[in-house]
Amino acid sequence: MKNQFIPSTEQPVKTMEPAWRFIFSRYKLLIASPDSAPSIPLFPDLETLGISPLEEIYLGTLEGKPCYAAAVADLDQVEPPPETAFQDLRLLYGRIDQELLYLCFRAIHLLDWSQKTKFCKKCGRELIVQEAERAKKCPDCGHQSFPRISPAVIVLVERDNTCLLARSPRFQDGFYSVLAGFAEPGETLEETVAREVLEETGIEVKEVRYFGSQPWPFPDSLMIGFTAQYAGGEIKVDGTEILEAGWFPYDQLPKIPGRISIARRLIDWFVNKHQNQEEQDGEATTLESNTPSLQ
Ligand SMILES: [Zn+2]
């Protein structure tokens, strides 16, 4: 099967065969053919390229070839090999295959975790990387560290043929999107959805339904998408976390996220649903007007 990724923590014996190299300097990733058809470079090893990583993590295999994540120092200390360049990971959205993009997300998430967990947080000893699972363990006190994933909900609220979109100060000028927020300890995700929508816009929701999910490693989130229906309330925003919010008809949307994100997938789903409905209504009207009158 093309592109199939098989995760593993058991590092193979190093050879001089090409391996996928996910090389990051913070959130900048080394891309092959960055201007034409961006992809992840395949290199046998980093030393011959003059790159000495601060950290290297084995991820598994893709198309039978090993995959490694590597962190390098600041960009001014690294010379990218020919035909490659460092680019912001977020700019790759929609420009490379989704499975490859999610592998990049896996790589940066694990590098970030590994760099933050060098030492035991209980006794300070250096943690040892485990081979059998994605974990580190303290040789003294036995404390274990696993990669942390922070769940966040993202929700499209519907009211008839309109949806609730909001503008946050983090967005570029004039852009609106669906609402999002982190789950709190002790909450179900459905409760997170209801709380976030109420806190941010004063709107109550019902019929919260799972839509889909997306890894979002900036630094360690998993975005869990939902749809919900309007249940009551009037829009009221706090003016700090949310600047403006409104009910937008599916055919009169403001500027919305342009790349292939779960926010955009939710909005596209809503628009498509109403466009299809409109087409069906149109066909029904045409049929009616074409039906000969019996009188
Ligand atoms: Zn310890």
Side-chain angles (χ1 to χ4, degrees), residues 158-171:
E158 293 182 86
R159 183 180 189 180
D160 302 323
N161 71 340
T162 67
C163 68
L164 180 59
L165 300 177
R167 200 158 70 76
S168 134
R170 291 176 289 110
F171 296 169

Side-chain angles (χ1 to χ4, degrees), residues 119-125 127 137-143:
F119 301 97
C120 177
K121 64 180 177 187
K122 288 194 170 167
C123 73
R125 266 295 291 273
L127 295 177
K137 192 172 182 180
C138 176
D140 272 0
C141 75
H143 169 73

